[in-house]
Each structure stands twice: as C-alpha cells, then as structure tokens.
Amino acid sequence: MAGKKLDVVMVSTEMVPFSKVGGLADVVGALPDELEKLGCSLVVFTPLYSEVSREKFGISAEKDIKPIRVMVAGKPREFTLCSCLKPGTGIKVYFIENDYYYGRKGIYTVPETGEAFKDEDERIIFFNRAVMESMKALKLSPGVIHCNDFHSGLLPVYLSIEESDNELLKNTGTVFSVHNLAYQGLFEPDFLEKAGLDPQLFQPMSPFEFWGRVNVMKMALMFSGLINTVSRSYAEEISESEEYGYGLEGVLKYRGKDLIGILNGIDPAAWDPATDELIPHRYSINDLSGKKLNRDALLREFGLPSGDEPVIGIVSRLVDQKGFDILSEAFEDLMKMNLKFAILGTGQKKYHDLYTELSAKYPEKLGIRLGFSDKTAHLVEAGSDFFLMPSLYEPCGLNQMYSLRYGTIPIVRSTGGLKDTVSELSARGNRGNGFTFEEYSSKALAGAIGRAMDFFADSSAVEKAIKRMMKEDHSWEASAREYMKMYENARGRTGIRLTRQ
Ligand code: ADP
Ligand code: GLC
C-alpha cells in the first residue's frame, strides 16, 4: 500500500499562532519553519480549541475525510479533521475538532481556578487516538513521529503496541521531547483501560506503573525511539538528580544513551525590537532611544509613577517552578532598593492573591497585570531595564533570550537552559550578558539583584553590555540542524516493543 511519504509528523497541544500557554507553543510555532528551510517535509497535528479563529487562519474541514470515531473510556467520540497552512509557510497544520473536549474555554486548566480539567485523562487519550486515526485516514507514512510533552506521549505507546503490522507505520520511528519533566500525566490505574490498553499491563516496575499509578511521561520515555530535552544542562540535571528528575531520573538514566539536549531557539521575526508591531516604539542597536520611550509606556501601563529607577520586568506563569516563593520571601528587602517591578503573569491563586496584596502595599514600586497578553509581554520585554527569572528549574526558558534581543539585562538562577544562555556580566560590561545566582534562596536572589542595581549606576557599561547582547544569535538555525540529525537517527526506531497477542 503506497502512502504519503513524510519525514516528520510533529504533534503538540499548543502552537503559536493558534494557541499558547507557555514556551512549548513558541517552539512548535517556530521550529517547523526552520526545518522546512532545511528541506524537511513535515506536518503538524494540534487540537482545534474554541479560541482558535477559523476565519483568521482559513481553517476548514479536510474535504476527503469523513468524521472519524475513536473510543475513549469505552465511549465513542467523533471528530472532524480540519487543516490550514501555517501562515507564511507551506507547512500543513491538521486540527482535531471536537466540541465535547475542545469547545470549552482553557487549554489544560479551568481559567477561573487554574485547576486541571477533571477529564484531563480522557482529553489526552482522545487527542492521541485522534492523531493516530487521522494519520491512517490520510495514509501518512512518516519517517518519524515527534511528540512533545506528556499530552502527546501515548502515540509512541500506541504505535509500538498496535501498529506493528501496519504497512504505512511499521517503519515509523518516534522522538519524544521533554519540555517540562514536572508535568507527567499521573492517573489512576483505570487509565489504561480508558485508553484501550490491556489493564493487565499494570505491573509493578513496568513502564505502565509508577508508585501505584499510571504515568504517561514514563510510558512515553520507555516507548520512544529517541528522547531529547530543550537544553544540555537540563538533560544532565534530569538524569542525574532526584531534585530535577521528579521520580523519573532512573528511567532517564536507563535511556541515557538515547537522550540528548538541544537548546531552543527564538523566532527572530516575532521578537525583534526593530520591527515589533506590538510595542509602541521600535528601536535597534544603532538607536536605543525607543527603548526609553517604551519604558515610559510600560510604567504608564502598569500604573507606576515615572522616574529613572531601574525597572525589573517579569512575564511568567505564576507557579512554583518560576521561583515566586523565593521572590516573595525577598520582597520586603527588595522594596528597600531603588527599583520598580512590572509583573505580568497568570497561574496559581496563592500568587495572584499575594502579588495583589503587595502591589496595594507598594503602589509606587510594584505594578502587576494578572492575565495573559502577548502585547503586554512584548511591552515588558521592550520597556524593562532588567528581566527576572529566578526559576527553581528551567528546561530552557525563552524569555531570557527575548530579553537579550531587546537589550533587557536578564537576572536568572543558573539552572537548565538559563545556565546555558546567561553568564555573569563583568563590572565594565565587557564580558557576560546578565546576572546569575546558584543557590535557590531569597538571599542569593537579592544578592544578584543588588549586583544588577550597582551595575545600572554605570550607564556606559550598561550601554556597552546591551549593544553586545542584542547582537547575540539565538535563532533556531543551529538547533534545527540538530533536530534534523536526531530525526535521521530516529528513523525506524522505537523504544520497547510490545506486540498484541
Ligand atoms: P514556560 O514554557 O515554562 O512557561 P518559557 O520561558 O519557555 O516558559 O516560555 C514562556 C512563554 O510564554 C514566553 O513566550 C512568555 O512570554 C509567555 N508568557 C508567559 N506568561 C505570559 C502571560 N501572562 N502573558 C503573555 N505571555 C506570557
Ligand atoms: C517548558 C519549560 C520551558 C521551555 C519550554 C519550551 O514549558 O518550562 O523552560 O522553554 O517548555 O521548551
């Protein structure tokens, strides 16, 4: 049976410009363009959430494919396969349309509470089953299926267990990218049955069991041909320490020879202060005057008084991963310094409450915007003097690279991708590109901010450093080549193989 030969089928539950929660969306929004330039033929699969504008992107149902039915938790669920071309490219993006799972607001969580959807298990099973059945309906025969995080982690399992006799898919390999190991997809043992897998597979220590529960990430790590994560340091951290491995360090060690780190890049067109349509004043290395004007606009937007004190920006999911506990602990001390904060974020309620309280207490020094706004995110990058990322762990992190491009000096905890992209500035600004600290503590964080504030007093050192960092190349090109190499190596390769009896 002849099918449509493809190099890669990429699968993700977020993708810019259609949907976004965090950096995964940026990655899947930018990496395909670079792969296409390198001659890779690929398509992408993603859900059609209610927020995605069908009109704007010209998304329509695939003409020759009738609605497809898959079984989820013993119930038939039907979906329509839709598609459009990724804007500005020849890359086909396939969307899974189903009102029951995607008609609601939110991508993974209930927007009002930040809690995971109660039927998260079903939504995962549905998406993976739907992508598999769509590939078959389209008669695709890819060299590699590239899954991203646990939401698409069942595909390697289904491929190995159920498709080993399928002419079009039996030679297809799998790549699994870990964007964040802390989110694993932990469910009760009945998950297997709901997923249409044999409940007998739930054996202690097997890929299907993790401390008495099912762990989708563990299954994905065991069944995928090759595994990568999004920076070299994070690849080391997660296979070497319990602190970062979140219980999966043993599995990652076991798969060690098949695990590599490839640093994310940034989309240089979307994040360029010289052409950015989302900021009020454009600027470049040759003329930084617009940056100052953006700073004024930022202070106005965040309800802060004008003034020359350095502004520290944050754009982040408000969750423990991002270091908000040590920032909160350091806050009273930081408020004694001559600085201002502009924080844009959304996430855990405890941080919404805490930062609302703090901004009421320090209205002249702390401005907050609780919500998700691309436009405000760009303004924070462009208008701040410093950008803070005190992460507990950070697989890659994109905002520090956006900051470098916007001449906004990053202050980061040296972990994961932050460690691989930011190094301490020398006193005169001749070396390094930011301020860093190692120990995860409020004291170390305040120390780094203190050094940054001292540095800011020397305006010629600041300008020298800014101009140097704005020239750094963080584009996808080099990393996309590494992905191409990995795909080549992954052809025909899966993890463990279990065939149906
Ligand atoms: P993560 O994926 O862990 O959230 P990254 O640094 O890789 O961290 O990527 C986060 C992305 O999400 C960046 O593009 C950042 O600008 C964006 N982002 C995070 N929170 C918000 C928000 N509240 N509004 C707009 N963009 C946001
Ligand atoms: C995750 C990580 C972040 C990374 C992003 C894209 O959400 O938390 O560090 O940059 O994925 O890979």
Side-chain angles (χ1 to χ4, degrees):
M1 183 169 39
K4 187 167 177 255
K5 282 262 174 251
L6 265 181
D7 293 331
V8 177
V9 164
M10 199 181 282
V11 190
S12 171
T13 44
E14 301 172 39
M15 178 179 187
V16 164
F18 310 110
S19 56
K20 172 161 170 174
V21 172
L24 170 60
D26 292 3
V27 170
V28 181
L31 172 61
D33 302 31
E34 210 55 45
L35 292 170
E36 189 190 39
K37 281 190 213 152
L38 294 174
C40 177
S41 73
L42 81 159
V43 298
V44 187
F45 281 90
T46 196
L48 189 56
Y49 301 109
S50 63
E51 280 103 334
V52 183
S53 165
R54 288 145 167 86
E55 296 73 42
K56 183 171 162 198
F57 298 112
I59 299 169
S60 59
E62 273 294 291
K63 275 193 238 63
D64 304 327
I65 310 279
K66 294 202 180 69
I68 301 174
R69 186 173 286 183
V70 291
M71 293 302 283
V72 181
K75 293 198 188 75
R77 300 283 179 203
E78 204 170 75
F79 68 93
T80 305
L81 186 63
C82 298
S83 71
C84 72
L85 287 182
K86 183 171 185 292
T89 72
I91 299 164
K92 187 101 170 216
V93 181
Y94 289 107
F95 294 89
I96 307 293
E97 182 185 55
N98 170 285
D99 259 5
Y100 181 75
Y101 291 119
Y102 303 134
R104 62 190 84 167
K105 285 226 157 66
I107 291 185
Y108 307 122
T109 54
V110 182
E112 295 75 34
T113 62
E115 307 267 321
F117 288 127
K118 291 239 159 22
D119 57 354
E120 189 184 24
D121 52 354
E122 286 194 21
R123 295 174 93 238
I124 290 165
I125 295 163
F126 169 72
F127 180 60
N128 286 267
R129 282 264 177 233
V131 173
M132 184 61 89
E133 291 315 307
S134 301
M135 285 195 293
K136 291 192 214 164
L138 291 163
K139 299 199 167 41
L140 301 184
S141 184
V144 175
I145 303 175
H146 176 183
C147 303
N148 290 277
D149 273 352
F150 79 89
H151 295 97
S152 46
L154 283 178
L155 279 159
V157 185
Y158 287 144
L159 187 78
S160 280
I161 298 185
E162 300 178 357
E163 306 299 341
S164 51
D165 294 334
N166 182 321
E167 279 305 312
L168 293 176
L169 297 173
K170 69 178 184 195
N171 294 318
T172 295
T174 41
V175 163
F176 183 69
S177 294
V178 176
H179 294 266
N180 195 330
L181 196 68
Y183 298 88
Q184 302 180 346
L186 282 167
F187 300 105
E188 296 314 309
D190 67 352
F191 179 89
L192 293 181
E193 201 169 355
K194 289 183 180 174
L197 295 166
D198 182 354
Q200 299 296 328
L201 292 169
F202 190 75
Q203 298 297 331
M205 315 294 285
S206 77
F208 303 92
E209 190 268 355
F210 180 82
W211 299 102
R213 303 176 81 191
V214 168
N215 181 325
V216 180
M217 178 77 93
K218 180 178 176 183
M219 290 198 268
L221 293 174
M222 291 302 290
F223 278 90
S224 298
L226 290 178
I227 303 162
N228 82 301
T229 184
V230 288
S231 69
R232 290 222 169 93
S233 289
Y234 192 62
E236 278 166 28
E237 288 164 354
I238 56 178
S239 39
E240 279 167 16
S241 83
E242 275 174 40
E243 187 189 341
Y244 291 101
Y246 285 85
L248 289 174
E249 56 282 356
V251 177
L252 286 156
K253 220 182 194 113
Y254 173 73
R255 295 296 322 260
K257 68 172 183 19
D258 299 323
L259 167 69
I260 57 167
I262 306 179
L263 193 70
N264 286 334
I266 62 172
D267 180 344
W271 295 92
D272 180 357
T275 55
D276 192 336
E277 297 282 333
L278 296 174
I279 57 176
H281 306 280
R282 278 160 280 290
Y283 60 96
S284 65
I285 298 184
N286 303 326
D287 180 6
L288 287 169
S289 54
K291 183 152 180 67
K292 173 106 184 39
L293 298 172
N294 286 317
R295 191 170 183 280
D296 297 339
L298 174 71
L299 293 175
R300 277 195 302 277
E301 170 73 27
F302 278 73
L304 291 165
S306 55
D308 288 331
E309 309 85 358
V311 180
I312 301 182
I314 292 183
V315 178
S316 181
R317 292 182 290 118
L318 298 179
V319 296
D320 294 337
Q321 172 196 344
K322 300 295 180 178
F324 286 100
D325 51 351
I326 55 170
L327 178 61
S328 314
E329 219 179 286
F331 219 80
E332 297 292 336
D333 282 342
L334 296 176
M335 290 295 99
K336 292 181 194 134
M337 296 183 188
N338 195 28
L339 49 69
K340 289 183 182 129
F341 273 95
I343 303 182
L344 166 67
T346 176
Q348 287 173 297
K349 185 172 177 300
K350 63 176 179 184
Y351 293 126
H352 284 222
D353 295 347
L354 179 64
Y355 283 90
T356 304
E357 247 171 60
L358 286 170
S359 70
K361 188 165 170 196
Y362 299 104
E364 313 262 289
K365 294 190 124 182
L366 168 62
I368 56 163
R369 287 288 170 272
L370 300 176
F372 195 95
S373 158
D374 242 348
K375 191 166 175 218
T376 315
H378 282 244
L379 180 61
V380 174
E381 285 291 3
S384 303
D385 299 296
F386 295 93
F387 194 94
L388 180 62
M389 298 177 78
S391 305
L392 172 62
Y393 69 92
E394 195 61 77
C396 179
L398 297 170
N399 276 305
Q400 80 279 16
M401 294 191 268
Y402 300 148
S403 301
L404 292 167
R405 198 106 204 280
Y406 281 70
T408 302
I409 302 172
I411 304 173
V412 308
R413 172 155 183 262
S414 278
T415 180
L418 297 173
K419 189 169 164 186
D420 295 353
T421 50
V422 183
S423 59
E424 183 85 8
L425 268 162
S426 61
R428 293 271 159 79
N430 292 319
R431 285 187 317 278
N433 59 5
F435 291 91
T436 65
F437 62 101
E438 301 259 333
E439 186 186 271
Y440 189 70
S441 71
S442 54
K443 196 160 158 256
L445 162 65
I449 293 184
R451 292 199 304 284
M453 296 307 109
D454 291 345
F455 183 78
F456 193 73
D458 182 348
S459 57
S460 79
V462 170
E463 192 172 326
K464 217 187 302 165
I466 286 180
K467 290 193 167 168
R468 215 161 31 73
M469 69 178 64
M470 286 174 80
K471 281 194 205 137
E472 288 182 22
D473 180 7
H474 292 281
S475 66
W476 265 105
E477 202 188 322
S479 299
R481 285 183 198 284
E482 292 188 55
Y483 272 92
M484 289 292 270
K485 228 185 281 164
M486 177 170 62
Y487 293 148
E488 225 22 77
N489 293 336
R491 277 174 192 278
R493 204 151 146 179
T494 61
I496 51 175
R497 278 227 179 247
L498 292 183
T499 22
R500 247 207 291 233
Q501 299 303 313

